[in-house]
Amino acid sequence: MGVEYQLKNSHYGVKGEEEGQFESAAPLILGLQPSALVDHVAKVDWSLLSQIPGESGGSFPVEIEELEHILSEVKTHMLSSPIDPTSSKTIAGGSVANTIRGLTSGFGLSCGIIGACGDDEQGKLFVRNMSFYGVNLSRLRRKKESTAQCVCLVDELGNRTMRPCLANTAKIQADELMRADFAGSKWLVMRYAISNLEIMHAAIRIAKQEGLLISLDLASFEMVRKFRLPLLQLLESGNIDLCFANEDEATELLRGEEGANPEAALEFLGKYCQWAVVTLGPNGCIVKHGKETVRVPAIGESKAIDATAAGDLFASGFLYGLVNGLSLEEYCKVGSCSGGSVIQALGGEVGPENWQWMYKQMQTKGLTIPSNGK
């Protein structure tokens, strides 16, 4: 896949530390994002959503020409002035990166990314953004191909439509994964994608040899619908310890079966995963662990400006609760707080003000605030 080199010594700590500090201890949680991704997030009117291919509300790949066309159209369809910083944003993106960045910046956990980025401006932006929050990038390879990009279109109600461009972009390959990438870590976070299936299987095999637990997000209802069989095989393998699905993905998982609904999907996932989670948007979430099932309402007082990364940051909070030995209900409450924090601003990056909002919500609910939030 072209010339590459390791981003050695590329772990940055908090803002102001010098480049070159490398965290020798293995990160507690690793995220597998084969292709580093840059998100172009913009608030747009409905008319643009009707012009682009695919259903609104989901995520499906496009070619670079289509991505560039959408970006050119965004300028004339923004809901607010192009000079308003809240109307558009370009940041390091991808579901896994959002979850890992949230765990590091909001919860103070040691996390890293396994993947590859291009030696281009987008790749440099990804590295700068993730490094700023202290994410360990020593497992990120840099390659000569371009860095993947995604257009995230947010409508007036805060709902998002995503069109990633992943073709011919920098990507880590299955045969490049090493046991050293996983050694010493406790969790591996992944997102389902048919284009990454070979890499995912290779990562799962090595991670299990190293004793890691594996978390899988179901990505989008379109991905589940179009590639349901390999997803079912992956789940039924018994290698997925924790599975996250939103309401649409959960229903799609059992499409065509009698009584296909989020509750039935939760029961199905619970057969194969130690922890099964179905998020229900404004109705909270339902979770199953063994014989225990809980339903937790969503956090109030949280106006949705952009729901792009709500599920990703819910996963951050849930995993924080899990690794800290909280109860099943408390995992969900923390996840609800962190998911609520990201929807108050554009994009999958939570700023200091919204982290403070989350800590206040946690305190109100009797949850222990992470040490970095005190």
Side-chain angles (χ1 to χ4, degrees):
M1 286 296 288
V3 179
E4 64 175 76
Y5 54 91
Q6 289 282 111
L7 281 168
K8 291 296 183 187
N9 299 333
S10 63
H11 173 80
Y12 292 65
V14 295
K15 184 170 59 173
E17 289 186 351
E18 295 295 320
E19 182 174 354
Q21 290 187 310
F22 180 70
E23 189 172 59
S24 57
L28 178 69
I29 300 175
L30 291 170
L32 176 70
Q33 186 163 308
S35 295
L37 184 71
V38 167
D39 278 342
H40 304 280
V41 192
K43 290 193 286 189
V44 298
D45 58 45
W46 289 95
S47 62
L48 177 58
L49 296 175
S50 65
Q51 294 173 30
I52 65 173
E55 293 180 57
S56 62
S59 174
F60 206 70
V62 295
E63 297 298 322
I64 186 65
E65 294 80 12
E66 184 63 35
L67 180 132
E68 288 173 348
H69 172 70
I70 296 170
L71 283 175
S72 68
E73 290 293 315
V74 161
K75 294 170 186 173
T76 58
H77 289 271
M78 277 191 193
L79 286 176
S80 51
S81 166
I83 62 170
D84 178 357
T86 62
S87 65
S88 66
K89 184 187 278 188
T90 300
I91 56 172
S95 174
V96 171
N98 290 338
T99 297
I100 291 297
R101 180 173 51 207
L103 280 161
T104 304
S105 63
F107 294 101
L109 296 184
S110 167
C111 299
I113 288 278
I114 300 173
C117 68
D119 189 12
D120 53 14
E121 284 307 309
Q122 285 79 20
K124 291 171 185 173
L125 187 150
F126 183 90
V127 169
R128 279 197 308 271
N129 184 252
M130 298 299 283
S131 298
F132 177 84
Y133 292 103
V135 176
N136 186 318
L137 298 180
S138 62
R139 294 158 185 77
L140 187 71
R141 282 76 164 169
R142 185 174 282 168
K143 302 196 173 192
K144 68 176 184 180
E145 290 85 3
S146 59
T147 302
Q149 301 179 66
C150 181
V151 181
C152 306
L153 304 175
V154 183
D155 66 23
E156 298 166 71
L157 301 177
N159 298 314
R160 55 98 174 110
T161 297
M162 306 177 82
R163 292 295 176 264
C165 177
L166 306 173
N168 303 313
T169 54
K171 180 178 180 178
I172 195 170
Q173 300 300 303
D175 60 5
E176 296 177 271
L177 297 173
M178 304 177 293
R179 292 188 71 157
D181 289 326
F182 302 86
S185 295
K186 301 300 181 188
W187 276 92
L188 177 65
V189 175
M190 303 190 305
R191 183 178 197 246
Y192 182 60
I194 195 67
S195 59
N196 293 334
L197 203 56
E198 184 186 356
I199 305 161
M200 291 170 65
H201 281 301
I204 288 169
R205 185 180 68 254
I206 300 172
K208 286 299 176 184
Q209 288 172 355
E210 292 295 326
L212 277 71
L213 294 166
I214 294 173
S215 166
L216 178 72
D217 181 272
L218 295 196
S220 73
F221 66 85
E222 291 167 311
M223 190 65 70
V224 176
R225 178 184 300 168
K226 291 177 182 288
F227 307 107
R228 183 170 170 265
L229 184 58
L231 172 59
L232 291 174
Q233 291 171 340
L234 183 60
L235 292 167
E236 290 169 0
S237 72
N239 286 325
I240 306 303
D241 300 285
L242 165 60
C243 185
F244 292 101
N246 67 26
E247 195 167 2
D248 293 336
E249 294 153 5
T251 303
E252 200 63 56
L253 192 63
L254 299 183
R255 174 180 279 272
E257 297 185 22
E258 190 176 344
N261 58 43
E263 288 75 17
L266 185 76
E267 288 299 316
F268 174 81
L269 291 169
K271 290 180 187 176
Y272 304 105
C273 308
Q274 289 190 58
W275 297 272
V277 185
V278 178
T279 55
L280 306 171
N283 295 315
C285 67
I286 47 177
V287 184
K288 184 175 176 63
H289 174 52
K291 294 181 179 179
E292 184 183 4
T293 301
V294 300
R295 180 182 289 266
V296 176
I299 293 286
E301 310 169 35
S302 184
K303 184 172 181 276
I305 291 177
D306 172 14
T308 298
D312 305 336
L313 269 291
F314 176 92
S316 298
F318 192 94
L319 282 161
Y320 167 80
L322 193 49
V323 301
N324 280 282
L326 305 186
S327 70
L328 193 59
E329 185 174 357
E330 287 171 330
Y331 306 163
C332 300
K333 286 181 177 179
V334 180
S336 188
C337 290
S338 52
S341 71
V342 75
I343 66 175
Q344 299 179 58
L346 202 60
E349 182 180 39
V350 181
E353 185 179 324
N354 288 331
W355 281 131
Q356 289 304 318
W357 176 90
M358 183 193 77
Y359 300 142
K360 185 177 178 183
Q361 292 292 326
M362 288 178 67
Q363 208 164 23
T364 301
K365 297 184 179 306
L367 300 164
T368 304
I369 298 172
S371 57
N372 66 316
K374 292 176 182 174

